[in-house]
Amino acid sequence: MNPADLCSYADVFAACRQRIAPYIHCTPVMCSRQIDELAGAMLSMKCENFQRMGAFKMRGAVNALLQLTPEQQQRGVVTHSSGNFAQALALAASSVGTRATIVMPRDAPEVKKNAVRGYGGTIVECEPIVEARQAATDRIVAETGATFIHPSDDLQVILGQGTAVAELLEQTPELDCVVTPVGGGGLVAGAAIAAALHARAMGRPCPVYGGEPANVDDAFRSLKEGSIQENPPGANTIADGLKTYLGDVNFPIIQQGVRRIITVSEDQIVSAMRQIWQFMKLVVEPSAAVALAAVFADPETFAGKRVGLVLSGGNVDLDSLPFAKR
Amino acid sequence: MNPADLCSYADVFAACRQRIAPYIHCTPVMCSRQIDELAGAMLSMKCENFQRMGAFKMRGAVNALLQLTPEQQQRGVVTHSSGNFAQALALAASSVGTRATIVMPRDAPEVKKNAVRGYGGTIVECEPIVEARQAATDRIVAETGATFIHPSDDLQVILGQGTAVAELLEQTPELDCVVTPVGGGGLVAGAAIAAALHARAMGRPCPVYGGEPANVDDAFRSLKEGSIQENPPGANTIADGLKTYLGDVNFPIIQQGVRRIITVSEDQIVSAMRQIWQFMKLVVEPSAAVALAAVFADPETFAGKRVGLVLSGGNVDLDSLPFAKR
């Protein structure tokens, strides 16, 4: 595949959609008159908070697993993640009949570990540093023959995540553009492929924008610099699923197919999240609100437009909500 | 209409459904594998949190307004409510082209007053006692010729609320029974009519149960005593929409068509609400969780059954959630 020609993915993308369909929900697209009035645009929001295990990550996990040979499936898979991809790979593995080992930092929240176990995953704990994470993963691959699946920098994962946007564009074909949150880059790269194929089919452009927390603006800087940038140690955001950075597989796709990254403040994220909860009655996680926050942060780009947004997930800790009174 | 024969409402109910259809959403029915496993039953939840203004009350308000003569519509309507019916009547009035005056206690939350104003309603404040509320309402009727619409003890309101259950039974025809929250009795009485008509059409029973907070168990006691009971002064519940009591119009319908009222504790309400937020990613208000709480409180009645529940609304104060850390 040539990353410079996103339409060259048409066949593998179509195969991916067909392959994962039995394992995922086609989630609804919802609108809010009140949010549209505030945004001055017509927003169509793809409710991946209703996806299995509560986030779009299920799509990519399933697709990656279904691409393995029977021998590979028998030996299982391994990933490192303390977020939604951990749960997604665990549930996907149970669903397709293989097993997943998840390397998680020792200090990951108990609620996330329990969720992984609840979906049938095996947890291996490591020290909360990148080197320990990699060492533990390498050891499991060496000892068990498990296949490593990267949470976002894997073409099959990218294609799987892109199916969320392909569905959105089928459910609302008249969209002028699409906005997704950007973390590790899997979703926004998949969105770029889906939008390029849609644009070709419709005969008009459908640009893709990424929303990213200003606190961890590595993707914004990566596009500007033309090379993958990381975040300074300790950089933090309430949208904790977006702290990761781009990779060699998704970066060229993003360079080719993402028009711009829009950065948003922590306050803008919480405010957008609150609007989704209040007006749409949807439980979404902070990362999911980043796309809406980007629309509010850049009114000139979106005014009067029909904008598709991916509400990426709904796995939020109800015991520590940002808008609860203390 | 003979309250003892709920099927005698068939024609007026069909007319009501047709009349209000352009003004309301047909809300989706959602399920949760996780909640089903916890409940040991198959639950189908009617998402009236997605209804216009965020609650089923929109249905009854619209139906009552559309039954007025042009002269009555011109003089407007009035009600007393500090809850969802206040907002519903305000939005319904704007939608059908008349105007609503809402008598609200002076100490009602500012957020609720603002919501009524946002929907175009006029607020008249009164002292927070029943007598003042009635006096203010009577005065407005006398001075303006407005028509008084009771929030729950009005046949047109009851029929309107019942359309939520009629839709649910069309969307999921195989249900064994239906559970709704009980406050003023409009919804559960409408549910009784809808379920009786469904049972006749299907040729098998479809009992209706009511869920009620034990702290304000007036409906439970009313059915037991055979006469309308009230709650002691100061009785309170987190499900604040359910503090009202039954009336002369809905009580005989409820006596005829509701099999049993199941009372639930405050902890059971919060626990059910949390499950809906966590597993279904839906923002629902405490009152909406009372029906699910009733299913958990009475497992013998519901085990293995296909149960329809009305998630009555989603208008919750995000600043004071019961499961937020303090």
Side-chain angles (χ1 to χ4, degrees), chain B residues 26-284:
Chain B
C26 176
T27 54
V29 174
M30 299 186 77
C31 306
S32 163
R33 192 179 52 83
Q34 284 127 317
I35 294 180
D36 280 3
E37 279 174 13
L38 292 169
M42 288 148 289
L43 310 183
S44 296
M45 309 204 209
K46 178 72 170 166
C47 296
E48 287 292 297
N49 58 324
F50 291 144
Q51 188 52 262
R52 291 184 67 200
M53 61 67 56
F56 74 92
K57 301 256 174 178
M58 188 62 189
R59 298 170 178 268
V62 165
N63 191 45
L65 290 189
L66 291 176
Q67 287 290 79
L68 299 178
T69 65
E71 292 71 31
Q72 287 174 315
Q73 287 203 3
Q74 206 166 9
R75 290 195 297 270
V77 293
V78 59
T79 196
H80 48 67
S81 165
S82 54
N84 281 328
F85 194 75
Q87 298 177 45
L89 199 68
L91 179 58
S94 304
S95 300
V96 310
T98 177
R99 61 194 195 289
T101 303
I102 317 292
V103 176
M104 292 180 93
R106 202 177 299 283
D107 59 358
E110 221 30 63
V111 59
K112 299 209 169 187
K113 293 183 192 168
N114 287 337
V116 167
R117 290 190 197 104
Y119 288 127
T122 302
I123 294 174
V124 170
E125 295 191 351
C126 69
E127 295 305 315
I129 50 171
V130 172
E131 295 74 19
R133 187 181 80 174
Q134 197 56 51
T137 308
D138 292 346
R139 185 174 51 73
I140 292 160
V141 169
E143 286 177 3
T144 66
T147 303
F148 174 68
I149 312 274
H150 191 284
S152 55
D153 199 38
D154 174 306
L155 182 60
Q156 298 304 328
V157 171
I158 292 166
L159 293 169
Q161 318 305 35
T163 63
V165 173
E167 279 177 19
L168 167 60
L169 289 166
E170 277 177 11
Q171 290 162 304
T172 341
E174 68 283 5
L175 292 177
D176 295 312
C177 58
V178 168
V179 189
T180 81
V182 180
L187 175 60
V188 78
I193 293 171
L197 292 168
H198 184 73
R200 185 176 69 175
M202 301 292 280
R204 57 179 176 76
C206 181
V208 172
Y209 298 87
E212 188 175 42
N215 282 5
V216 292
D217 65 345
D218 56 282
F220 174 81
R221 288 180 284 109
S222 298
L223 280 186
K224 202 168 130 197
E225 300 292 330
S227 64
I228 296 170
Q229 306 292 310
E230 301 186 7
N231 293 305
N236 208 357
T237 170
I238 189 177
D240 57 357
L242 307 183
K243 284 192 268 185
T244 46
Y245 44 85
L246 308 182
D248 294 334
V249 180
N250 60 45
F251 185 52
I253 298 173
I254 292 168
Q255 283 183 300
Q256 178 63 25
V258 175
R259 181 163 295 182
R260 195 161 75 250
I261 306 285
I262 298 162
T263 58
V264 297
S265 71
E266 298 295 291
D267 281 353
Q268 287 173 320
I269 296 170
V270 172
S271 165
M273 179 171 160
R274 191 185 179 103
Q275 285 167 350
I276 296 168
W277 287 51
Q278 183 179 343
F279 295 126
M280 304 187 71
K281 313 302 180 191
L282 296 176
V283 172
V284 295

Side-chain angles (χ1 to χ4, degrees), chain A residues 94-278:
Chain A
S94 304
S95 300
V96 310
T98 177
R99 61 193 195 290
T101 303
I102 318 292
V103 175
M104 292 179 93
R106 202 178 299 284
D107 59 357
E110 220 31 61
V111 59
K112 299 209 170 186
K113 294 183 191 168
N114 287 337
V116 168
R117 291 189 196 106
Y119 289 127
T122 301
I123 294 174
V124 170
E125 295 191 350
C126 69
E127 293 306 313
I129 50 171
V130 172
E131 295 75 19
R133 187 181 78 173
Q134 198 55 53
T137 308
D138 292 346
R139 185 174 50 75
I140 292 162
V141 169
E143 287 176 3
T144 67
T147 303
F148 173 67
I149 313 275
H150 192 283
S152 54
D153 199 38
D154 174 304
L155 182 60
Q156 297 305 327
V157 171
I158 291 166
L159 293 170
Q161 318 305 34
T163 64
V165 173
E167 280 178 19
L168 167 60
L169 290 165
E170 278 179 9
Q171 290 163 304
T172 340
E174 69 282 4
L175 291 177
D176 295 313
C177 59
V178 167
V179 190
T180 81
V182 179
L187 176 61
V188 79
I193 294 170
L197 292 168
H198 184 74
R200 185 177 68 173
M202 302 291 282
R204 56 181 176 74
C206 181
V208 171
Y209 299 88
E212 186 175 44
N215 282 4
V216 291
D217 65 345
D218 57 282
F220 174 81
R221 287 182 285 108
S222 299
L223 280 186
K224 204 168 128 194
E225 301 292 330
S227 63
I228 295 172
Q229 305 294 310
E230 301 187 7
N231 294 304
N236 207 357
T237 169
I238 189 175
D240 57 357
L242 306 183
K243 283 192 269 186
T244 46
Y245 45 85
L246 308 182
D248 294 334
V249 180
N250 60 44
F251 186 54
I253 298 174
I254 292 168
Q255 283 183 301
Q256 178 63 26
V258 175
R259 180 162 296 184
R260 196 162 76 250
I261 306 283
I262 298 162
T263 58
V264 296
S265 71
E266 298 295 291
D267 281 352
Q268 287 173 320
I269 297 170
V270 173
S271 166
M273 178 169 161
R274 191 187 179 102
Q275 285 166 351
I276 295 167
W277 288 50
Q278 183 179 342

Side-chain angles (χ1 to χ4, degrees), chain A residues 277 281 283 314-315 319 323, chain B residues 277 280-281 283 314-315 319 323:
Chain A
W277 288 50
K281 312 302 180 191
V283 172
N315 293 334
D319 287 325
F323 31 72
Chain B
W277 287 51
M280 304 187 71
K281 313 302 180 191
V283 172
N315 292 334
D319 288 323
F323 32 72

Side-chain angles (χ1 to χ4, degrees), chain A residues 238 273 316-324 326, chain B residues 274 323-325:
Chain A
I238 189 175
M273 178 169 161
V316 70
D317 182 356
L318 294 176
D319 287 325
S320 55
L321 296 173
F323 31 72
R326 308 290 152 132
Chain B
R274 191 185 179 103
F323 32 72
K325 255 180 204 147

